[in-house]
Amino acid sequence: MTLPPNPEALLQAMQAIVGPTGCLSAAADTEPFVTDYRRIYHGKSPLVVLPATTEQVSQVMAWCYAHDVPVVPQGGNTSLMGGAVPDDSGTAIVISLKRMNRVLAIDTVNDTMTLEAGVTLSAARAAAEDSRRLFPLRIGSEGSCQIGGNLSTNAGGTAVLRYGNMRDLVLGIEVVLPDGRIFSSLKGLRKDNTGYDLKHLFVGAEGTLGIITGAVLKLMPQPRATSVAFVAVQNPDAAVKLLGEARALSGQAVTAFELISAPALDLVLGYLGDVPSPLEGRHDWMVLIELTSGTDEESLNATLMQILEAGLEQQWVVDAAVASSLADVQQFWRIREEISDAQTRTGGSIKCDVSVPLSRVAPFIEQASAAVLALEPATRMVIYGHMGDGNVHFNPLRPAERDAKDFLAQWYKPVSDLVDGLAHAENGSISAEHGIGVAKRDDLTKYKSAVELELMWQVKRALDPKNLLNPGRVLPRID
Ligand code: MLT
Ligand code: ZN
């Protein structure tokens, strides 16, 4: 059992490393760092440390290692799984990377960008754009989430179909290990077969193996043309077929293919208030399709029309609105991206983030929906997500008249177990892109094989033998 550190000794040691302005100890100052952004997880911490350099992170970690002080690394604190805030034991300090927010270099010949971990995703995207390049990761929280957190959670989002997850976008990494050693491999190489590719150990490890302090990321050419449509489809099966056709007709141009159920659209339009539906009438299922290419706008629009016509002919498509201006594009995307916040605001949402092979998405949605509605028929089936990747945000929402707390108390566990079980039975994942954190930690032991769990523990013990780094996250807590 770890005892809370002596607060004075801790503060003194940390101030000596990061200076007085790099330490927050008053409860009012630490509060935003110990509560997650959905206000579901509330922890305690004697101190939030804000280092300004990798060297300072290293010294902080070395001190904590020597004094058995647990550490919770934190980026933009946008985790949906409680992975970035401490537990309520009050033993762990939080290390926030927010002061390490410099873009260090952009190499437009190599098409890479080197940056510190605390750069926000939107700042990274803007820096790439200033150099007429694209950094393609796109997620709703881009204004707050940070590159270190994106890497630590292997962030996904709406453009994975085209560009991959964060793991696919990283070439080099710098990490401070639990004992303070620095593993620096800030290389921008697309080929490097020199043994184990250690950087990938830290990607998706949710800060349990080391603290990512810097990275080299891939840059892409900026697309010259973008075409977007908001399309009503018969059902999820028709949507899958439409995606197949879109890919056949446009090659690599399909950048996003997002499914949206009617209750998801109702919810978000109610939340936004001033935004009309892009389509006339109410439709059970819709998709937001985005094509991008290096060719001209006219030919890309023609391809989009060809896809929609093929869809109409096959009766997969019921109706469609094609964006005719940048304002339309932004409005369509705003509708999609605000679904998450609309749920947070409404409360009473059972958030399941699953993936199944694309060929099983439609049967999965049908089975899981029927099973949930059999339990509580008035549940609003808020289903949306990155269908092109087989990633379904299956988020049953409380009936309008039911109290959120009561609904969650009754159904959170049975419904998420049911949905996860069905996804698992389809050879799917119980966490497609949101990670494990603390929310899914105990489920992990149910769905990973004994061999997988043993290997994960062996890696954890090898890198963090004292279990000081983000303890109790991803892997079960051991006291
Ligand atoms: C999204 O796709 O909107 C995000 O993964 C967030 C969420 O599901 O809440
Ligand atoms: Zn998502």
Side-chain angles (χ1 to χ4, degrees):
M1 172 95 181
T2 318
L3 294 172
N6 172 318
E8 276 99 67
L10 174 69
L11 183 62
Q12 219 175 26
M14 294 301 118
Q15 283 185 340
I17 299 169
V18 299
T21 51
C23 289
L24 304 174
S25 55
D29 296 334
T30 59
E31 173 58 24
F33 298 87
V34 297
T35 305
D36 77 313
Y37 100 106
R38 286 197 299 151
R39 307 197 153 273
I40 290 176
Y41 300 96
H42 307 273
K44 281 190 202 142
S45 176
L47 193 64
V48 175
V49 181
L50 299 106
T53 63
T54 301
E55 191 48 46
Q56 287 183 1
V57 177
S58 162
Q59 287 177 28
V60 169
M61 292 302 286
W63 192 93
C64 290
Y65 192 78
H67 295 84
D68 292 336
V69 175
V71 170
V72 175
Q74 190 177 96
N77 195 12
T78 59
S79 167
L80 294 168
M81 312 307 279
V85 289
D87 63 21
D88 60 7
S89 67
T91 55
I93 65 161
V94 174
I95 296 189
S96 165
L97 279 294
K98 68 189 282 187
R99 286 212 294 172
M100 294 182 58
N101 59 0
R102 289 175 307 154
V103 176
L104 300 173
I106 292 192
D107 181 340
T108 52
V109 176
N110 199 38
D111 273 334
T112 51
M113 170 164 67
T114 306
L115 25 67
E116 293 180 328
V119 175
T120 62
L121 176 56
S122 59
R125 283 173 59 90
E129 205 173 316
D130 288 346
S131 295
R132 296 183 51 230
R133 296 293 183 279
L134 172 73
F135 180 64
L137 190 82
R138 209 162 72 184
I139 53 181
S141 55
E142 69 165 45
S144 328
C145 66
Q146 297 170 10
I147 293 301
N150 296 150
L151 283 162
S152 294
T153 56
N154 186 24
T158 53
V160 171
L161 185 58
R162 174 80 172 270
Y163 297 106
N165 293 292
M166 199 60 179
R167 189 184 293 287
D168 304 297
L169 300 172
V170 62
L171 294 174
I173 209 166
E174 181 186 75
V175 180
V176 176
L177 299 174
D179 60 6
R181 281 177 299 159
I182 300 171
F183 159 52
S184 185
S185 181
L186 289 174
K187 292 179 177 178
L189 301 176
R190 285 171 176 80
K191 287 194 160 187
D192 179 15
N193 282 350
T194 51
Y196 305 142
D197 196 340
L198 296 174
K199 67 175 174 290
H200 285 301
L201 269 184
F202 301 94
V203 177
E206 300 185 37
T208 60
L209 301 178
I211 300 187
I212 297 175
T213 48
V216 182
L217 303 177
K218 288 181 194 171
L219 296 176
M220 309 288 171
Q222 283 185 318
R224 287 180 53 210
T226 301
S227 296
V228 175
F230 207 94
V231 184
V233 289
Q234 280 293 353
N235 48 39
D237 183 49
V240 171
K241 289 175 173 144
L242 183 66
L243 171 61
E245 191 65 20
R247 288 179 126 171
L249 290 169
S250 76
Q252 292 294 307
V254 188
T255 305
F257 198 92
E258 296 284 312
L259 182 73
I260 301 172
S261 71
L265 185 69
D266 295 342
L267 185 75
V268 72
L269 293 181
Y271 167 70
L272 293 173
D274 56 343
V275 177
S277 170
L279 297 162
E280 277 182 24
R282 191 172 186 272
H283 302 276
D284 287 346
W285 294 99
M286 288 140 288
V287 286
L288 176 58
I289 307 177
E290 181 174 285
L291 307 183
T292 58
S293 79
T295 60
D296 62 295
E297 202 90 30
E298 211 174 301
S299 67
L300 194 65
N301 281 340
T303 307
L304 180 62
M305 294 316 290
Q306 233 184 322
I307 293 165
L308 296 175
E309 276 157 25
L312 278 166
E313 209 166 286
Q314 296 287 341
Q315 299 185 340
W316 301 327
V317 169
V318 179
D319 193 9
V322 175
S324 59
S325 63
L326 182 62
D328 281 353
V329 171
Q330 285 166 346
Q331 183 114 314
F332 291 5
W333 272 112
R334 186 164 169 230
I335 290 170
R336 164 59 188 90
E337 276 166 356
E338 296 284 350
I339 297 173
S340 183
D341 279 355
Q343 291 177 93
T344 305
R345 181 66 69 86
T346 308
S349 183
I350 302 174
K351 285 186 88 76
C352 305
D353 167 39
V354 298
S355 63
V356 296
L358 191 50
S359 49
R360 301 304 299 164
V361 165
F364 164 78
I365 289 177
E366 201 179 318
Q367 279 175 38
S369 300
V372 171
L373 289 170
L375 295 174
E376 172 119 14
T379 304
R380 289 172 282 178
M381 300 308 293
V382 173
I383 300 169
Y384 62 104
H386 322 294
M387 183 182 222
D389 315 318
N391 181 183
V392 184
H393 296 315
F394 191 94
N395 297 346
L397 176 68
R398 68 177 166 86
E401 73 288 352
R402 265 207 83 171
D403 176 72
K405 267 200 182 139
D406 285 354
F407 177 77
L408 295 180
Q410 185 179 2
W411 292 124
Y412 200 97
K413 178 101 177 82
V415 167
S416 41
D417 284 352
L418 187 152
V419 174
D420 289 351
L422 288 171
H424 184 70
E426 296 285 9
N427 235 338
S429 167
I430 61 158
S431 186
E433 63 170 5
H434 294 168
I436 296 297
V438 68
K440 282 279 171 203
R441 181 192 63 193
D442 298 335
D443 297 312
L444 199 69
T445 47
K446 225 157 79 191
Y447 294 106
K448 290 272 184 201
S449 68
V451 174
E452 284 172 303
L453 286 169
E454 184 50 29
L455 288 173
M456 284 172 82
W457 268 116
Q458 281 174 353
V459 172
K460 172 72 174 169
R461 285 192 200 103
L463 274 84
D464 183 17
K466 292 185 169 187
N467 192 25
L468 291 177
L469 209 39
N470 219 2
R473 300 315 186 240
V474 182
L475 290 163
R477 194 175 178 104
I478 38 167
D479 290 308

